[in-house]
Every structure is written in structure tokens, then in C-alpha cells.
Amino acid sequence: MAVYTDIAEDDLKWFLTEYDAGALLSYKGIAEGVENSNFLLHTSKAPLILTLYEKRVEKSDLPFFLGLMQHLSAGGLSCPLPLPRKDGALLGTLSGRPAALISFLEGMWLRKPDAKHCREVGKALARMHLAAEGFTLTRPNALSLEGWQTLWDKSETRADEVEPGLQNEIRSELDFLRTHWPKDLPAGVIHADLFPDNVFFLGDELSGLIDFYFACNDLLAYDVSICLNAWCFEKDGAYNITKGTQMLEGYQSVRPLSDKEVDALPILSRGSALRFFLTRLYDWLMTPEGAMVTKKDPLEYLRKLRFHRQISSPAEYGLSL
């Protein structure tokens, strides 16, 4: 469910007068997504996406997100583009929420991506990293080491409700990552949430990347590890080395990884698995029944974390060393 704030038709029509968007023909809520309220609008000029930013998104971060989409689009990356108001601003207010109109991106996300799709995702991620160069706004990653500890502090006492022994295991993992986390790798703007539902395809051709609302400044190879976790494991929890090989070859065909980035990939992958485990664990334990947040099984990412812990060489991900 991703319509947390409803909108009245008259209010929406008034909102659209602030834009050169044409007359409203129809609109409907979009059920996918978890952070914001999204609507598909059909106007006399073009289809648009209306996003109302909910309380989980800081208003102070919105200039970064919207400006990044403009910058990436200008750099040739296929992604949604914010529509400016008549006064030049990218952000308005609707139903008491910050709101923006975003261009409609053709395509749909894949429920069953295969290796060739993973290769295209790797290439697109590298293109995004390069296109983001020169973007002057910055945003720290709130879901890195310090953020993980904050989430864990809120969940630790109940962790063994999910699986016995989990409290000690995750405490040890956090200690390990604090000690070994790389600090001298190439950094820049990362997507930080490039899961299959944030990549659109038309047939087998990748048509664009969406949902930049976790984007931030961090290690570029960390973004690669997020994609390995999101795209290259099967439903039974097995790592698909064919998908991993294609993902990494696709990325390196656009932006080759340095030797240090390659060496750090197992630790980065442990970190990204822990990041999604912890956010899922927090939601699993703390979200009241009936709340409009879809709880996802944290154990999926615990299994991935345990897989990465056993990796002895980056070659096991499908890298050619």
C-alpha cells in the first residue's frame, strides 16, 4: 500500500494550475512503494507521477533528491525528471504534504529477472555513478555504520524472538564491520536501493531507474554490493553466480572496479546485507498490526549475510581476477 494521504480532485486541479502540465483528465493511486503516496495522473499534455512525501522522508532532503534526478537526466541517464512549477520551484504542497510532479517513465519492473537483465542493471548502475559526478549537493548515508547501530539499539533486546542466538550474532557482526569497514575507496552519489522494483524494462531493454529517495553519498562499490544482494540470489536463498558474473561484468564494462574495490566486495556485501536485515528487523518487531507498512521477512537477509561471511575470495561472486 503506497497511498497514505488521499487527495481531493478539486485540490489536485488547483495544484496543477501552478504547473504547465495541462488539464487533469484522470488520476489514481499507485499501490507499489512503501515510503510515499504516489498517483498516476493523466493530463491533456502527458501522463505524470504525483508524489506526496510522507513523514518518513525529511523535507530538507528533497532538494537533494529532486536536484539529483535533474542532474542525472542532464547527464544522459534515463530516469524520472521533476517538472518545475511556473515559479521555477520543484516542490509544492498538496493535502498538507510536500508534493512534486515527476515525468512518467515507460516500462515495468521484472518479477523474474535473469542473467541478461542483471548485466543491464550493472551497466545502468555504473552509468548512474558516472552521471552523478559534478552534482554539488551532498547527503550523508543515514543507513551506514552509525545508522545500523541506531537501528540495532532499538531492536536488540527482542532480536531472539525472531531467531534464538540472533542477539549475539548481530552484535558480533557489527563489531566486525566497525573494525574492518573500508574507508579509502572511490566515493560519490549512490542509489542505495536499486532493487528490481526500482528498475524498469521494456521487453529485455532497460528503460530507466526510479526511486532515488535513499540516494546519498557513499562508497560506489557499496552500491554494487547492494545490487548483488538484491538481484543475484534465488528465492531458495542460493547465490546465482551466473547472475553475479553478468552484473559485475556489466558494471565493469562502463566503470572498472579498482583492485581495492574488488578486495572489499565481501565486506561491503556483508554490510549491505546487514543494512537491509536491520531495517526489516526493526519494521518486523516495531510495526503495529494494521499499520500501512508492508513488513518483509528479515531472515531473508540474515541468510544472505551468512553467505557473505563464508566468502574467501571475490572470485566467488563471479569476478574474473
Side-chain angles (χ1 to χ4, degrees):
M1 178 66 177
V3 177
Y4 307 114
T5 300
D6 202 3
I7 53 175
E9 183 175 352
D10 287 344
D11 291 341
L12 177 54
K13 287 181 177 178
W14 175 86
F15 179 80
L16 289 176
T17 63
E18 301 295 321
Y19 295 82
D20 184 19
L24 180 67
L25 301 178
S26 66
Y27 71 101
K28 65 178 181 179
I30 299 174
E32 294 176 343
V34 296
E35 293 294 322
N36 305 304
S37 295
N38 296 289
F39 299 83
L40 173 61
L41 276 55
H42 289 279
T43 77
S44 56
K45 286 195 171 182
L48 295 165
I49 299 296
L50 167 67
T51 297
L52 273 61
Y53 299 100
E54 302 292 347
K55 294 178 181 179
R56 289 174 71 145
V57 176
E58 294 288 341
K59 187 176 180 180
S60 59
D61 285 334
L62 293 176
F64 176 90
F65 299 141
L66 298 174
L68 176 62
M69 286 187 273
Q70 282 189 315
H71 183 87
L72 294 174
S73 180
L77 188 79
S78 179
C79 66
L81 185 63
L83 185 70
R85 290 161 34 115
K86 292 176 181 177
D87 63 5
L90 296 179
L91 201 62
T93 302
L94 179 60
S95 298
R97 297 282 188 267
L101 285 179
I102 312 291
S103 63
F104 178 79
L105 188 66
E106 292 283 353
M108 61 186 298
W109 69 276
L110 302 175
R111 269 65 176 178
K112 294 182 179 180
D114 61 25
K116 64 177 176 290
H117 302 123
C118 291
R119 185 179 189 87
E120 294 308 305
V121 171
K123 288 159 60 174
L125 181 67
R127 291 189 188 111
M128 193 213 99
H129 289 164
L130 296 179
E133 292 178 356
F135 183 56
T136 56
L137 298 181
T138 60
R139 178 178 180 265
N141 187 356
L143 291 170
S144 190
L145 287 167
E146 290 185 11
W148 300 341
Q149 186 64 54
T150 299
L151 283 168
W152 179 238
D153 289 343
K154 296 175 181 178
S155 306
E156 181 178 6
T157 58
R158 296 183 57 195
D160 283 7
E161 295 176 23
V162 176
E163 183 177 292
L166 198 53
Q167 189 177 84
N168 287 334
E169 180 177 356
I170 299 304
R171 187 185 296 136
S172 297
E173 186 68 22
L174 280 164
D175 288 343
F176 173 87
L177 291 174
R178 270 192 297 269
T179 302
H180 295 91
W181 196 249
K183 298 179 176 63
D184 58 349
L185 302 182
V189 176
I190 68 169
H191 186 284
D193 194 40
L194 202 62
F195 278 64
D197 56 351
N198 288 330
V199 181
F200 279 6
F201 283 83
L202 286 170
D204 289 332
E205 184 176 348
L206 192 150
S207 60
L209 311 182
I210 68 167
D211 198 351
F212 291 85
Y213 301 114
F214 283 100
C216 56
N217 294 83
D218 208 328
L219 305 178
L220 300 181
Y222 176 64
D223 222 10
V224 176
S225 78
I226 290 173
C227 286
L228 287 176
N229 275 315
W231 289 82
C232 300
F233 285 82
E234 299 303 323
K235 287 188 176 181
D236 63 1
Y239 180 74
N240 187 321
I241 195 169
T242 303
K243 289 183 176 180
T245 298
Q246 291 299 307
M247 171 85 67
L248 293 164
E249 287 184 355
Y251 185 90
Q252 294 202 96
S253 71
V254 176
R255 180 190 168 268
L257 294 166
S258 69
D259 290 343
K260 286 186 176 181
E261 287 178 303
V262 169
D263 290 342
L265 200 56
I267 290 177
L268 295 172
S269 297
R270 283 172 70 166
S272 59
L274 181 67
R275 173 260 187 266
F276 288 100
F277 166 77
L278 287 172
T279 50
R280 288 183 175 199
L281 179 68
Y282 176 81
D283 285 344
W284 191 266
L285 293 173
M286 304 301 175
T287 301
E289 292 300 324
M292 290 187 295
V293 174
T294 301
K295 295 195 291 185
K296 297 179 181 178
D297 182 7
L299 294 181
E300 176 189 349
Y301 268 82
L302 181 64
R303 291 188 288 269
K304 293 177 183 181
L305 171 58
R306 289 168 175 166
F307 168 82
H308 296 303
R309 201 181 287 145
Q310 303 304 313
I311 291 290
S312 59
S313 166
E316 294 176 58
Y317 292 116
L319 278 165
S320 298
L321 301 181

